[in-house]
Amino acid sequence: MSRPGLFITFEGIDGAGKSSHIEGLAAAFRAQGRTVTVSREPGGTPLAEKLREMVLNDPMDALTESLLIFAARRDHLRNVIEPALARGDVVLCDRFTDATFAYQGAGRGFDLDVLSTLERLAQTGLAPDADLMREPDLTVWFDLAPEVAAERLAGARVPDRFEAQPVEFFRRVAQGYADRAAAAPQRFARLDAAQDRHRVWQQLTSVFVRKGWLAIMVASQGGPQ
Ligand code: TMP
């Protein structure tokens, strides 16, 4: 019996702790027999990973940044996400288009209407239904106060162009995520990312159990080490 693919994205400001939970979730899905594709944005294909290096490190204006991010996204959708969904995989993607609205839109103050236009261009015409604009089935939002995230990130590694931004930038990005979540409450699941890792894992898996996508037994095993 073939099951439909699931497209799940993970969002939050830098330091919110989302990445460490994605592998655990992949293991939980695999434990109940699903094939899982784990990926990230910007990135996920050789071309998109090259664009990621530029976006994270080279100086550029907000339009150039947005164009490169959507170019990377289209290549990723075309070569990884759509084929995986067509096979019936669970696709777990670390960031997607909500990050563009939060970082480039709210954070950098770039025009949201232009972002919507780019979104339509980049995300349409790739699915079996040619008119479909691909969007996640579920977006898990790791909500954390920017001040707490900054403390967690302090001294962790050499910061990229985004991590090097002041806390006010991340306040705007966090508000951008809150606005996106308010506009699409049926797609977003908010987690309180200020809690310890185990509690965040419990919140995360209970979202999937409620949706009927993970069995309680599978969800209660595993989690962060
Ligand atoms: P990561 O560190 O979570 O992999 O994300 C890379 C950085 O890229 C992160 O600081 C957020 C930023 N970013 C954007 O500014 N816009 C986007 O659309 C995406 C996907 C990421």
Side-chain angles (χ1 to χ4, degrees), residues 6 8 137-139 185-189 205-214:
L6 275 181
I8 298 156
D137 297 303
L138 172 71
T139 297
Q186 70 294 347
R187 175 165 67 82
F188 269 82
T205 51
S206 69
V207 170
F208 287 82
V209 170
R210 273 202 305 277
K211 287 199 163 280
W213 293 345
L214 277 184

Side-chain angles (χ1 to χ4, degrees), residues 58-80:
D58 297 348
M60 64 186 76
D61 79 348
L63 173 58
T64 306
E65 190 172 281
S66 303
L67 290 168
L68 293 183
I69 286 170
F70 275 111
R73 181 159 300 137
R74 183 165 179 88
D75 193 61
H76 189 210
L77 275 166
R78 206 171 121 79
N79 292 302
V80 174

Side-chain angles (χ1 to χ4, degrees), residues 24-172:
L25 204 55
F29 272 109
R30 288 183 184 119
Q32 47 178 54
R34 300 278 321 228
T35 305
V36 182
T37 293
V38 177
S39 200
R40 69 170 180 182
E41 290 215 346
T45 67
L47 173 62
E49 289 291 332
K50 285 186 203 162
L51 294 171
R52 176 190 175 92
E53 278 305 305
M54 296 178 198
V55 167
L56 295 193
N57 298 304
D58 297 348
M60 64 186 76
D61 79 348
L63 173 58
T64 306
E65 190 172 281
S66 303
L67 290 168
L68 293 183
I69 286 170
F70 275 111
R73 181 159 300 137
R74 183 165 179 88
D75 193 61
H76 189 210
L77 275 166
R78 206 171 121 79
N79 292 302
V80 174
I81 296 174
E82 292 296 350
L85 293 174
R87 289 193 301 267
D89 286 13
V90 176
V91 177
L92 304 181
C93 191
D94 193 341
R95 300 192 184 283
F96 194 62
T97 306
D98 295 300
T100 316
F101 281 89
Y103 280 78
Q104 281 63 52
R108 299 244 193 258
F110 189 67
D111 191 320
L112 298 180
D113 291 335
V114 175
L115 294 182
S116 295
T117 302
L118 295 175
E119 177 188 31
R120 254 193 319 281
L121 273 174
Q123 292 170 218
T124 307
L126 299 170
D129 170 1
D131 292 335
L132 178 82
M133 186 183 88
R134 178 61 70 188
E135 287 185 288
D137 297 303
L138 172 71
T139 297
V140 181
W141 170 34
F142 288 71
D143 187 17
L144 185 66
E147 294 75 13
V148 180
E151 265 170 42
R152 286 187 186 175
L153 278 182
R157 56 185 168 184
V158 180
D160 62 37
R161 287 177 64 239
F162 297 100
E163 291 162 344
Q165 293 290 323
V167 75
E168 298 80 60
F169 175 83
F170 289 104
R171 277 199 202 105
R172 294 196 296 274

